[in-house]
Amino acid sequence: EIGFVAQEVAQVPGLDILVTELPDAREWEKRVKAVDYNGITAVNTQALKELLAKVEALEARVAALEG
């Protein structure tokens, strides 16, 4: 399976709100952690936009230094 480990996501500052605890579907007495994948998608999209902006700024800086 592909996915995130909820315990690892919960350790990232600010992402703990994307992890919830639910009853296990097979054993109602047990609780499992789940990740809100819609929230992860939004966070990843924002992070990607920020990283692309940084890359573009660094590429411009390199071009200016080489030129």
Side-chain angles (χ1 to χ4, degrees):
E1 288 186 45
I2 297 175
F4 294 99
V5 176
Q7 290 81 350
E8 291 177 2
V9 173
Q11 292 177 354
V12 178
L15 296 187
D16 56 327
I17 62 170
L18 299 176
V19 177
T20 56
E21 243 184 66
L22 306 166
D24 189 309
R26 288 173 261 155
E27 297 180 47
W28 286 98
E29 307 82 39
K30 289 177 74 177
R31 311 257 321 143
V32 294
K33 293 185 184 239
V35 176
D36 173 6
Y37 279 87
N38 291 326
I40 288 285
T41 300
V43 169
N44 285 344
T45 301
Q46 183 60 36
L48 181 58
K49 290 189 323 190
E50 291 173 10
L51 287 173
L52 287 173
K54 286 182 181 181
V55 167
E56 290 171 356
L58 289 170
E59 286 175 339
R61 187 173 174 196
V62 168
L65 290 170
E66 288 179 341

Coordinates of all heavy atoms in Angstrom, one line a residue:
E1 N 0.8 -1.2 0.0 CA 0.0 0.0 0.0 C 0.9 1.2 0.0 O 2.0 1.3 0.5 CB -0.9 0.0 1.2 CG -2.0 -1.0 1.2 CD -3.0 -0.8 2.4 OE1 -3.3 0.3 2.7 OE2 -3.3 -1.8 2.9
I2 N 0.3 2.3 -0.5 CA 1.0 3.6 -0.6 C 0.2 4.5 0.3 O -1.0 4.6 0.3 CB 1.1 4.2 -2.0 CG1 1.9 3.2 -2.9 CG2 1.6 5.6 -2.0 CD1 1.9 3.6 -4.3
G3 N 0.9 5.3 1.1 CA 0.2 6.3 2.0 C 1.2 6.8 3.0 O 2.4 6.6 3.0
F4 N 0.6 7.5 3.9 CA 1.3 8.2 5.0 C 1.1 7.4 6.3 O 0.1 6.8 6.5 CB 0.9 9.6 5.2 CG 1.2 10.5 4.1 CD1 0.2 10.8 3.2 CD2 2.4 11.1 3.9 CE1 0.4 11.7 2.1 CE2 2.7 11.9 2.9 CZ 1.7 12.2 1.9
V5 N 2.1 7.4 7.1 CA 2.0 6.8 8.5 C 1.4 8.0 9.4 O 2.1 9.0 9.5 CB 3.3 6.3 9.0 CG1 3.2 5.8 10.4 CG2 3.8 5.2 8.1
A6 N 0.3 7.8 9.9 CA -0.4 8.9 10.6 C 0.5 9.4 11.8 O 0.5 10.5 12.1 CB -1.8 8.4 11.2
Q7 N 1.1 8.5 12.5 CA 2.0 8.8 13.6 C 3.1 9.8 13.1 O 3.5 10.7 13.9 CB 2.6 7.6 14.3 CG 1.5 6.8 15.1 CD 0.7 5.9 14.2 OE1 0.8 5.9 13.0 NE2 -0.1 5.0 14.8
E8 N 3.6 9.5 11.9 CA 4.7 10.4 11.4 C 4.2 11.8 11.0 O 4.8 12.8 11.2 CB 5.4 9.7 10.2 CG 6.2 8.5 10.6 CD 6.8 7.8 9.4 OE1 6.7 8.3 8.3 OE2 7.5 6.8 9.7
V9 N 3.0 11.8 10.4 CA 2.4 13.0 10.0 C 2.1 13.9 11.2 O 2.3 15.1 11.2 CB 1.1 12.8 9.2 CG1 0.3 14.1 8.9 CG2 1.4 12.1 7.9
A10 N 1.6 13.2 12.3 CA 1.3 13.9 13.5 C 2.5 14.6 14.2 O 2.3 15.6 14.9 CB 0.6 13.0 14.5
Q11 N 3.7 14.1 13.9 CA 4.9 14.7 14.4 C 5.4 15.9 13.7 O 6.2 16.7 14.2 CB 6.0 13.7 14.5 CG 5.7 12.5 15.4 CD 6.8 11.4 15.4 OE1 7.7 11.5 14.6 NE2 6.7 10.5 16.3
V12 N 4.9 16.2 12.5 CA 5.3 17.4 11.7 C 4.5 18.6 12.3 O 3.3 18.6 12.4 CB 5.0 17.2 10.2 CG1 5.4 18.4 9.5 CG2 5.7 16.0 9.7
P13 N 5.3 19.6 12.7 CA 4.6 20.8 13.2 C 3.5 21.4 12.3 O 3.8 21.6 11.1 CB 5.7 21.8 13.4 CG 7.0 21.0 13.6 CD 6.7 19.8 12.7
G14 N 2.3 21.6 12.8 CA 1.2 22.1 12.0 C 0.4 21.1 11.3 O -0.7 21.4 10.9
L15 N 0.9 19.9 11.1 CA 0.2 18.8 10.4 C -0.6 17.9 11.3 O -1.4 17.1 10.9 CB 1.1 18.0 9.5 CG 1.8 18.8 8.4 CD1 2.5 17.8 7.5 CD2 0.8 19.6 7.6
D16 N -0.4 18.1 12.6 CA -1.1 17.2 13.6 C -2.6 17.3 13.5 O -3.3 16.4 13.8 CB -0.6 17.5 15.0 CG -0.8 18.9 15.4 OD1 -0.7 19.8 14.5 OD2 -1.1 19.2 16.6
I17 N -3.1 18.5 13.0 CA -4.5 18.7 12.8 C -5.1 17.8 11.7 O -6.3 17.6 11.6 CB -4.9 20.1 12.6 CG1 -4.3 20.6 11.3 CG2 -4.5 21.0 13.7 CD1 -4.8 22.0 10.8
L18 N -4.3 17.2 10.9 CA -4.7 16.4 9.8 C -4.8 14.9 10.2 O -5.2 14.1 9.4 CB -3.8 16.5 8.6 CG -3.6 17.9 8.0 CD1 -2.6 17.8 6.9 CD2 -4.9 18.3 7.5
V19 N -4.5 14.6 11.5 CA -4.6 13.2 12.0 C -5.7 13.1 13.0 O -5.8 13.9 13.9 CB -3.2 12.8 12.6 CG1 -3.3 11.4 13.2 CG2 -2.1 12.9 11.6
T20 N -6.6 12.1 12.8 CA -7.7 11.9 13.7 C -7.6 10.5 14.2 O -7.0 9.6 13.6 CB -9.1 12.1 13.0 OG1 -9.1 11.3 11.8 CG2 -9.2 13.5 12.6
E21 N -8.3 10.2 15.3 CA -8.4 8.9 15.9 C -9.8 8.4 15.7 O -10.8 9.1 16.0 CB -8.0 8.9 17.4 CG -6.8 8.1 17.7 CD -6.5 8.0 19.1 OE1 -7.3 7.5 19.9 OE2 -5.4 8.6 19.5
L22 N -9.9 7.2 15.2 CA -11.2 6.6 14.9 C -11.3 5.2 15.5 O -10.2 4.5 15.7 CB -11.4 6.5 13.4 CG -11.3 7.8 12.6 CD1 -11.2 7.5 11.1 CD2 -12.4 8.7 12.8
P23 N -12.5 4.6 15.7 CA -12.6 3.2 16.1 C -12.1 2.3 14.9 O -12.4 2.6 13.8 CB -14.1 3.0 16.4 CG -14.7 4.3 16.2 CD -13.8 5.3 15.6
D24 N -11.5 1.3 15.2 CA -11.0 0.3 14.3 C -12.3 -0.4 13.7 O -13.2 -0.8 14.4 CB -10.1 -0.8 14.9 CG -9.5 -1.7 13.9 OD1 -10.2 -2.2 13.1 OD2 -8.2 -1.9 14.0
A25 N -12.3 -0.6 12.4 CA -13.5 -1.2 11.7 C -13.7 -2.6 12.1 O -14.8 -3.1 12.1 CB -13.3 -1.1 10.2
R26 N -12.6 -3.3 12.5 CA -12.8 -4.7 12.9 C -12.9 -4.9 14.4 O -13.6 -5.9 14.8 CB -11.6 -5.5 12.4 CG -11.6 -5.7 10.9 CD -10.3 -6.3 10.3 NE -9.5 -5.2 9.9 CZ -8.2 -5.2 9.7 NH1 -7.5 -6.2 10.1 NH2 -7.6 -4.1 9.3
E27 N -12.3 -4.1 15.2 CA -12.4 -4.2 16.6 C -12.7 -2.8 17.2 O -11.9 -2.0 17.4 CB -11.0 -4.6 17.2 CG -10.6 -6.0 16.7 CD -9.2 -6.4 17.3 OE1 -9.0 -6.2 18.5 OE2 -8.4 -6.8 16.5
W28 N -14.0 -2.6 17.5 CA -14.5 -1.3 17.9 C -13.8 -0.8 19.2 O -13.8 0.4 19.5 CB -16.0 -1.4 18.1 CG -16.7 -1.4 16.8 CD1 -17.2 -2.5 16.1 CD2 -16.9 -0.3 15.9 NE1 -17.7 -2.1 14.9 CE2 -17.6 -0.8 14.8 CE3 -16.7 1.1 16.0 CZ2 -17.9 0.0 13.7 CZ3 -17.1 1.9 15.0 CH2 -17.7 1.4 13.8
E29 N -13.3 -1.7 20.0 CA -12.6 -1.3 21.3 C -11.3 -0.6 21.0 O -10.8 0.2 21.7 CB -12.4 -2.5 22.2 CG -13.6 -3.4 22.5 CD -13.8 -4.4 21.4 OE1 -12.9 -5.0 20.8 OE2 -15.0 -4.6 21.1
K30 N -10.7 -1.0 19.8 CA -9.4 -0.4 19.4 C -9.6 0.9 18.7 O -10.6 1.1 18.1 CB -8.6 -1.4 18.5 CG -8.1 -2.6 19.3 CD -7.4 -3.5 18.3 CE -6.1 -3.0 17.9 NZ -5.3 -3.9 17.0
R31 N -8.6 1.8 18.8 CA -8.6 3.0 18.0 C -7.4 3.0 17.0 O -6.4 2.5 17.3 CB -8.5 4.2 19.0 CG -9.4 4.1 20.2 CD -10.6 5.0 20.2 NE -10.6 6.3 19.8 CZ -11.7 6.8 19.2 NH1 -12.8 6.1 19.0 NH2 -11.7 8.1 18.8
V32 N -7.7 3.6 15.9 CA -6.6 3.8 14.9 C -6.5 5.2 14.5 O -7.5 6.0 14.6 CB -6.9 2.9 13.6 CG1 -6.9 1.4 13.9 CG2 -8.3 3.3 13.0
K33 N -5.4 5.6 14.0 CA -5.1 7.0 13.5 C -5.3 7.0 12.0 O -4.9 6.1 11.3 CB -3.8 7.5 14.0 CG -3.6 7.6 15.5 CD -2.3 8.2 15.8 CE -2.2 8.2 17.4 NZ -2.1 9.5 17.9
A34 N -5.9 8.1 11.5 CA -6.1 8.2 10.1 C -5.7 9.6 9.6 O -5.7 10.6 10.4 CB -7.6 8.0 9.8
V35 N -5.2 9.7 8.4 CA -4.7 11.0 7.8 C -5.8 11.5 6.9 O -6.4 10.8 6.1 CB -3.4 10.8 7.1 CG1 -3.0 12.0 6.4 CG2 -2.3 10.2 8.0
D36 N -6.1 12.9 7.0 CA -7.0 13.6 6.1 C -6.2 13.9 4.8 O -5.4 14.8 4.7 CB -7.4 14.9 6.7 CG -8.3 15.7 5.8 OD1 -8.6 15.3 4.7 OD2 -8.6 16.9 6.2
Y37 N -6.4 13.0 3.8 CA -5.6 13.2 2.6 C -6.0 14.4 1.8 O -5.1 15.0 1.1 CB -5.8 11.9 1.7 CG -4.9 10.8 2.1 CD1 -5.3 9.9 3.1 CD2 -3.6 10.7 1.6 CE1 -4.4 8.9 3.6 CE2 -2.7 9.7 2.0 CZ -3.2 8.8 3.0 OH -2.3 7.8 3.4
N38 N -7.2 14.9 1.9 CA -7.5 16.2 1.3 C -6.7 17.3 1.9 O -6.2 18.2 1.1 CB -9.0 16.5 1.4 CG -9.9 15.6 0.6 OD1 -9.5 15.1 -0.4 ND2 -11.0 15.3 1.2
G39 N -6.5 17.3 3.2 CA -5.6 18.3 3.8 C -4.2 18.2 3.4 O -3.5 19.2 3.2
I40 N -3.7 16.9 3.3 CA -2.3 16.7 2.9 C -2.1 17.2 1.5 O -1.1 17.9 1.2 CB -2.0 15.2 2.9 CG1 -1.9 14.7 4.4 CG2 -0.7 14.9 2.1 CD1 -0.6 15.1 5.1
T41 N -3.1 17.0 0.6 CA -2.9 17.5 -0.8 C -2.8 19.1 -0.8 O -2.0 19.6 -1.5 CB -4.2 17.1 -1.6 OG1 -4.2 15.7 -1.6 CG2 -4.1 17.6 -3.1
A42 N -3.6 19.7 0.0 CA -3.5 21.2 0.1 C -2.2 21.7 0.6 O -1.6 22.6 0.1 CB -4.7 21.7 0.9
V43 N -1.7 21.0 1.6 CA -0.4 21.3 2.2 C 0.7 21.1 1.2 O 1.6 21.9 1.0 CB -0.1 20.5 3.5 CG1 1.3 20.7 4.0 CG2 -1.1 21.0 4.6
N44 N 0.7 20.0 0.5 CA 1.7 19.6 -0.5 C 1.7 20.6 -1.6 O 2.7 21.0 -2.1 CB 1.5 18.2 -1.0 CG 2.0 17.2 0.0 OD1 2.7 17.5 1.0 ND2 1.6 15.9 -0.2
T45 N 0.5 21.0 -2.1 CA 0.4 22.0 -3.2 C 1.0 23.3 -2.8 O 1.8 23.9 -3.5 CB -1.1 22.2 -3.6 OG1 -1.6 20.9 -4.0 CG2 -1.2 23.2 -4.7
Q46 N 0.7 23.8 -1.6 CA 1.3 25.0 -1.1 C 2.8 24.9 -1.0 O 3.5 25.9 -1.4 CB 0.7 25.5 0.2 CG 1.1 26.8 0.8 CD 0.9 28.0 -0.2 OE1 -0.2 28.0 -0.9 NE2 1.7 28.9 -0.3
A47 N 3.3 23.8 -0.4 CA 4.7 23.7 -0.3 C 5.4 23.6 -1.6 O 6.5 24.2 -1.8 CB 5.0 22.4 0.5
L48 N 4.8 23.0 -2.6 CA 5.4 22.9 -3.9 C 5.5 24.3 -4.5 O 6.5 24.7 -5.1 CB 4.5 22.0 -4.8 CG 5.0 21.8 -6.2 CD1 6.4 21.3 -6.3 CD2 4.1 20.9 -7.0
K49 N 4.4 25.1 -4.4 CA 4.4 26.5 -4.9 C 5.6 27.3 -4.3 O 6.3 28.0 -4.9 CB 3.1 27.2 -4.7 CG 2.0 26.6 -5.5 CD 0.7 27.3 -5.6 CE 0.2 27.9 -4.3 NZ -1.2 28.4 -4.4
E50 N 5.7 27.1 -3.0 CA 6.8 27.9 -2.3 C 8.2 27.4 -2.7 O 9.1 28.3 -2.9 CB 6.6 27.7 -0.7 CG 5.4 28.4 -0.2 CD 5.2 28.1 1.3 OE1 6.0 27.5 1.9 OE2 4.1 28.4 1.8
L51 N 8.3 26.1 -2.9 CA 9.6 25.6 -3.3 C 10.0 26.1 -4.8 O 11.1 26.4 -5.1 CB 9.7 24.1 -3.2 CG 9.8 23.6 -1.8 CD1 9.6 22.0 -1.8 CD2 11.1 24.0 -1.2
L52 N 9.0 26.1 -5.6 CA 9.2 26.5 -7.0 C 9.6 28.0 -7.0 O 10.4 28.4 -7.8 CB 7.9 26.3 -7.8 CG 7.6 24.8 -8.2 CD1 6.3 24.7 -8.9 CD2 8.7 24.3 -9.1
A53 N 9.0 28.8 -6.2 CA 9.3 30.2 -6.1 C 10.8 30.4 -5.7 O 11.5 31.2 -6.2 CB 8.4 31.0 -5.2
K54 N 11.2 29.6 -4.7 CA 12.6 29.6 -4.2 C 13.5 29.2 -5.3 O 14.6 29.8 -5.5 CB 12.8 28.8 -3.0 CG 12.2 29.3 -1.7 CD 12.4 28.4 -0.5 CE 11.8 29.0 0.7 NZ 12.0 28.2 1.9
V55 N 13.2 28.1 -6.0 CA 14.1 27.7 -7.1 C 14.2 28.7 -8.2 O 15.3 29.0 -8.7 CB 13.5 26.3 -7.7 CG1 14.2 26.0 -9.0 CG2 13.7 25.2 -6.7
E56 N 13.1 29.4 -8.5 CA 13.2 30.4 -9.6 C 14.0 31.6 -9.1 O 14.8 32.1 -9.9 CB 11.7 30.9 -9.9 CG 11.0 29.8 -10.7 CD 9.5 30.2 -10.9 OE1 9.0 31.2 -10.3 OE2 8.8 29.4 -11.5
A57 N 13.9 31.9 -7.8 CA 14.7 33.0 -7.3 C 16.2 32.7 -7.3 O 17.1 33.5 -7.7 CB 14.3 33.4 -5.9
L58 N 16.5 31.4 -6.9 CA 17.9 31.0 -6.9 C 18.4 30.9 -8.4 O 19.6 31.2 -8.6 CB 18.0 29.7 -6.2 CG 17.9 29.7 -4.7 CD1 17.8 28.3 -4.1 CD2 19.0 30.5 -4.0
E59 N 17.6 30.4 -9.3 CA 18.1 30.4 -10.7 C 18.4 31.8 -11.2 O 19.3 32.0 -11.9 CB 17.0 29.7 -11.6 CG 17.0 28.2 -11.3 CD 15.9 27.5 -12.1 OE1 14.9 28.2 -12.5 OE2 16.0 26.3 -12.3
A60 N 17.5 32.7 -10.9 CA 17.8 34.1 -11.3 C 19.0 34.7 -10.7 O 19.8 35.4 -11.4 CB 16.6 35.0 -10.9
R61 N 19.3 34.3 -9.4 CA 20.5 34.8 -8.8 C 21.7 34.2 -9.4 O 22.7 34.9 -9.6 CB 20.4 34.4 -7.3 CG 21.5 35.0 -6.5 CD 21.3 34.7 -5.0 NE 22.4 35.1 -4.2 CZ 22.6 34.7 -3.0 NH1 21.8 34.0 -2.3 NH2 23.7 35.2 -2.3
V62 N 21.7 32.9 -9.7 CA 22.8 32.2 -10.4 C 23.1 32.9 -11.7 O 24.2 33.1 -12.1 CB 22.6 30.7 -10.5 CG1 23.6 30.1 -11.4 CG2 22.6 30.1 -9.1
A63 N 22.0 33.1 -12.5 CA 22.1 33.7 -13.8 C 22.8 35.1 -13.7 O 23.6 35.4 -14.5 CB 20.8 33.8 -14.5
A64 N 22.4 35.8 -12.7 CA 23.0 37.2 -12.5 C 24.4 37.1 -12.2 O 25.3 37.9 -12.7 CB 22.2 37.9 -11.5
L65 N 24.8 36.1 -11.3 CA 26.2 36.0 -10.9 C 27.1 35.5 -12.1 O 28.2 35.8 -12.2 CB 26.3 35.0 -9.8 CG 25.8 35.6 -8.4 CD1 25.7 34.4 -7.4 CD2 26.6 36.7 -7.9
E66 N 26.5 34.6 -12.9 CA 27.2 34.1 -14.1 C 27.3 35.1 -15.2 O 28.2 35.0 -16.0 CB 26.6 32.8 -14.6 CG 26.8 31.6 -13.6 CD 26.1 30.4 -14.1 OE1 25.2 30.4 -14.9 OE2 26.4 29.3 -13.6
G67 N 26.3 36.0 -15.3 CA 26.3 36.9 -16.5 C 27.1 38.1 -16.3 O 27.9 38.7 -16.8

